[in-house]
Amino acid sequence: MRLTKLNRLINTQILQGGMGVGVSFWKLPRAVALRGQAGTVSGTGAALVVPRLLQEGDKDGSIARAKAAFPIPELAQMVWDRYYHEDGIVQNKQYKSIPMPDHEPKELKRALLIFSSFAAVYLAKEGHKGLIGINLLEKLQAPHLYEALGAMLADVDFFAVGAGIGDQFPKMIDDFYRLEVASYNIDVKSGDGYDPGTYEMTFDPKTVISRQDFQRLGIEKPPCLFIVSTPLAAKAILRGMKGVLPDGFVVEGDRAGGHNARPRGDFPLNDRGEPVYNLEKKDNPDYEYFRDLGLPFWIAGESCSPEALQRALDLGACGVQIGTAFSFSRESGILLEIKQRSVRDGLDGKYDVYTSLTASPTGYPFKMVMRKGTLWELKVYEDRIRICDIGYLREAFWKKDKNGNKTIGWRCSSEPIEDYLGKGGQIEKTVGSVCVCNGLMATIGLGQYRKNEGRREPQLITSGDDIRFLQHLQDKLGPDGLYGAGDVIDYVLGLAA
Ligand SMILES: Cc1cc2nc3c(=O)[nH]c(=O)nc-3n(C[C@H](O)[C@H](O)[C@H](O)COP(=O)(O)O)c2cc1C
């Protein structure tokens, strides 16, 4: 009997966590899946990575392969015509602009989103039968309909949704699976006298693919895991799903890389100004709650060791989700020299990570590697001229248009301060707010060139706090100073020689 996608997932002890932007594009998830564990493509920002790789000439030909397999050729062609540069982009030339996500995406934006998430999943799944999921951050809402459809066209094996209450995903996935109109309500903040509310985005997949072509793909419906930090978020998702049970959870601790959940209620700061979580009480992940729910779950955050895996299994989890150790690996999308430095610094005891309450415009705490020359350094941060031209972390707000009609505007706390204030943003939110979009693109070697500054965008590196795994992977380092994703898996499964 053929196992369902969920059944196969439940039998998987290691999930490689989705890592945006482009850290887990397709090579890393594929490497993980080839070793029998589950790889997760980062859906967030895939539609930024693809057009920039096309402008770099699609050097390895991978996007051309995805294009050839894409079931809606005219959409892929639209992206190709706009962004592909056969000879690659000339040095010190700006990448072409990418339309920013909003509530009324034009055709090119929709094509970019659908094709890019298809491409990432398709390439990660190419040539094997292992499990490949896609990770999306709930809070980055406007692109979800298109990102989800693209991933499903590539027969994605699961969704993993974090950074927010993702209870709208299962219905959206189900609607797309039946090729029906799907919708996603995006949050809209108050403004111009209007109360906060929601705006319903809808998309009819039949406008881009016929039922016949869709059925020919033979897609199996993917399960959806929710990434949460405490039972509180899980309960909100359960409530939102109105009696339908979620497929499972990833329970992520505060030491995990990327964005973290905010501590609940009032919380103290340590002497570096980082939030202090009360893990005994209000911020307790309470694994027993998840075990008693009877739904599959994995434990994420400082879980890269055989002992952590055993502990997770003892607590009733299916296994662990790992990010940081994979992000340093040979197959991750982070620039080679950044990874080499991370491994060296880590082994030399010079690696440190700061949990910032202000850096991410999402409002979630965000972990930044404390490395000179990156946006963590105050001078680098202050020298950067503010610009918002990617816009993934913008929030929607109500406003009146020229004719006095209610409409939606978009703002980001890291955009030029006058612009943000002009859109009703609060000055406090701009302090220490980092352009995460441009910074993370720079870290994977696709940073924008700024003519006015005469340089590329500075990098922003995120990582978890726990790097103890390095001691155990030290003897696996190759001439490039790195280990492979397979070495991480062997170590955690206790298979390392
Ligand atoms: C470089 C990096 C980027 C990340 N980006 C995302 C992301 O886009 N979405 C997400 O849900 N989690 C993200 N994470 C979290 C991982 O998916 C994973 O859950 C976490 O790293 C596990 O903890 P660990 O870092 O201690 O292994 C990121 C982590 C890292 C290190």
Side-chain angles (χ1 to χ4, degrees), residues 128-169:
H128 64 89
K129 298 225 173 314
L131 290 171
I132 294 293
I134 188 164
N135 169 255
L136 292 169
L137 300 178
E138 198 286 327
K139 198 150 187 193
L140 279 49
Q141 297 172 324
H144 286 339
L145 286 167
Y146 315 98
E147 292 167 331
L149 177 65
M152 288 179 69
L153 293 175
D155 199 17
V156 72
D157 294 308
F158 62 95
F159 280 79
V161 183
I165 304 299
D167 58 347
Q168 299 185 66
F169 268 77

Side-chain angles (χ1 to χ4, degrees), residues 85-138:
H85 260 263
E86 193 176 350
D87 303 322
I89 194 165
V90 185
Q91 216 195 348
N92 293 348
K93 192 153 184 266
Q94 297 212 180
Y95 289 116
K96 281 188 180 160
S97 67
I98 302 164
M100 297 206 256
D102 67 15
H103 56 295
E104 286 169 338
K106 304 260 175 348
E107 209 180 4
L108 175 65
K109 182 77 212 171
R110 295 199 301 258
L112 263 171
L113 290 165
I114 298 171
F115 173 62
S116 302
S117 63
F118 169 88
V121 175
Y122 171 81
L123 293 168
K125 284 183 73 116
E126 204 179 21
H128 64 89
K129 298 225 173 314
L131 290 171
I132 294 293
I134 188 164
N135 169 255
L136 292 169
L137 300 178
E138 198 286 327

